[in-house]
């Protein structure tokens, strides 16, 4: 690790498809949806390749165009993710995040394209080594922890919360919640609990 001065002590982060990352302090990062935004172009290139006689010059030309398209999308996604994870890892001494079952989520064909765009697994991988490099800590919360269902104010669970419910009101204390922001606050609290409820002072990394 390098000697580094963190800007902030700690935060919890909730990752999603609507907003890529929502932090417990209110910071948000939008999903770039790079592949979905160019899906029409992708389909056109794929159809062009399928119409060509395999092995012909025109087939190789179409194949090369499709490969360059995928490479361009991959490079744009990689650039975005590196900038995002570097900013997070260099800003927070402690980051809490959920252990998402990315493989299982990708089995949902309705979400697979959006999940591929979001690259949750790659975000976690990069945050892990970058947090280590900057001298910070990344705390991974159990995937079964009900971060979205718990009221971050009073702790009462809302078991009836549905996936489509983006906002909800706690029936116990009356607090109105944004689903993602509430989950991020709960992840933050759980991360600090796993660190024996001792917030890390944002000074220099070791």
């Amino acid at each position: 690790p390098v000697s580094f001065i963190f800007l902030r002590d700690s935060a919890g982060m909730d990752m999603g498809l609507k907003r890529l990352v929502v932090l417990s302090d209110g910071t948000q990062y939008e999903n770039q949806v790079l592949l979905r935004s160019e899906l029409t172009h992708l389909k056109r290139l794929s159809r062009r390749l399928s119409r060509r006689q395999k092995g012909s010059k025109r087939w190789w030309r179409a194949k090369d165009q499709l490969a360059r398209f995928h490479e361009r999308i991959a490079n744009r996604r990689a650039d975005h993710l590196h900038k995002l994870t570097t900013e997070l890892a260099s800003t927070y001494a402690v980051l809490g995040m959920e252990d998402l079952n990315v493989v299982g989520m990708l089995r949902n064909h309705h979400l697979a394209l959006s999940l591929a765009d979001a690259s949750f697994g790659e975000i976690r991988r990069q945050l892990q080594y970058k947090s280590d490099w900057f001298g910070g800590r990344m705390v991974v919360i159990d995937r079964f922890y009900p971060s979205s269902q718990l009221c971050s104010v009073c702790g009462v669970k809302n078991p009836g919360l549905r996936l489509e419910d983006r906002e909800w009101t706690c029936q116990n204390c009356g607090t109105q919640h944004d689903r993602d922001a509430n989950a991020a606050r709960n992840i933050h609290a759980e991360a600090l609990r796993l660190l024996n409820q001792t917030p890390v002072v944002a000074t220099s990394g070791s």
Side-chain angles (χ1 to χ4, degrees):
V2 297
S3 180
F4 194 81
I5 305 298
F6 292 99
L7 298 178
R8 302 180 187 178
D9 287 351
S10 58
M13 54 182 287
D14 180 72
M15 293 192 292
L17 299 179
K18 298 290 185 180
R19 290 169 290 184
L20 183 57
V21 173
V22 175
L23 298 178
S24 54
D25 62 10
T27 306
Q28 300 181 17
Y29 297 88
E30 296 300 321
N31 194 337
Q32 296 294 295
V33 293
L34 296 172
L35 183 56
R36 186 174 293 279
S37 66
E38 300 203 43
L39 192 57
T40 301
H41 189 198
L42 172 63
K43 290 179 178 178
R44 184 165 60 249
L45 291 175
S46 297
R47 285 197 301 268
R48 183 181 301 168
L49 178 63
S50 66
R51 290 196 298 264
R52 303 293 186 246
Q53 182 178 350
K54 188 172 183 179
S56 67
K57 289 183 177 180
R58 298 179 71 187
W59 182 85
W60 281 111
R61 187 182 304 117
K63 184 177 178 63
D64 183 58
Q65 289 175 338
L66 183 59
R68 287 202 306 270
F69 169 83
H70 281 293
E71 182 180 15
R72 179 167 57 84
I73 292 295
N75 289 339
R76 288 174 57 194
R77 180 186 291 122
D79 179 67
H80 173 67
L81 292 183
H82 273 294
K83 289 177 179 176
L84 167 66
T85 54
T86 297
E87 181 175 334
L88 290 174
S90 63
T91 299
Y92 298 93
V94 172
L95 276 172
M97 67 178 299
E98 286 183 296
D99 179 22
L100 297 175
N101 181 15
V102 178
V103 174
M105 295 167 70
L106 285 171
R107 295 195 185 103
N108 185 330
H109 299 299
H110 298 291
L111 298 178
L113 188 60
S114 296
L115 288 167
D117 259 338
S119 304
F120 293 154
E122 180 63 12
I123 291 175
R124 173 176 171 175
R125 187 190 72 82
Q126 290 188 22
L127 280 177
Q128 183 67 70
Y129 80 77
K130 290 181 182 181
S131 292
D132 291 343
W133 193 80
F134 283 112
R137 294 282 300 276
M138 192 178 82
V139 183
V140 180
I141 309 304
D142 188 276
R143 68 180 56 174
F144 298 111
Y145 177 72
S147 60
S148 297
Q149 296 179 333
L150 293 177
C151 172
S152 57
V153 175
C154 69
V156 168
K157 187 176 181 180
N158 177 10
L161 189 68
R162 299 167 302 174
L163 185 61
E164 59 267 26
D165 295 331
R166 308 313 305 171
E167 296 181 353
W168 60 281
T169 301
C170 177
Q171 297 302 307
N172 181 61
C173 67
T175 303
Q176 290 186 324
H177 292 296
D178 172 273
R179 180 193 185 97
D180 300 335
N182 178 68
R185 289 191 290 269
N186 284 324
I187 291 170
H188 183 210
E190 179 67 1
L192 294 182
R193 187 191 70 80
L194 293 175
L195 289 173
N196 295 319
Q197 299 180 334
T198 304
V200 174
V201 177
T203 54
S204 60
S206 58

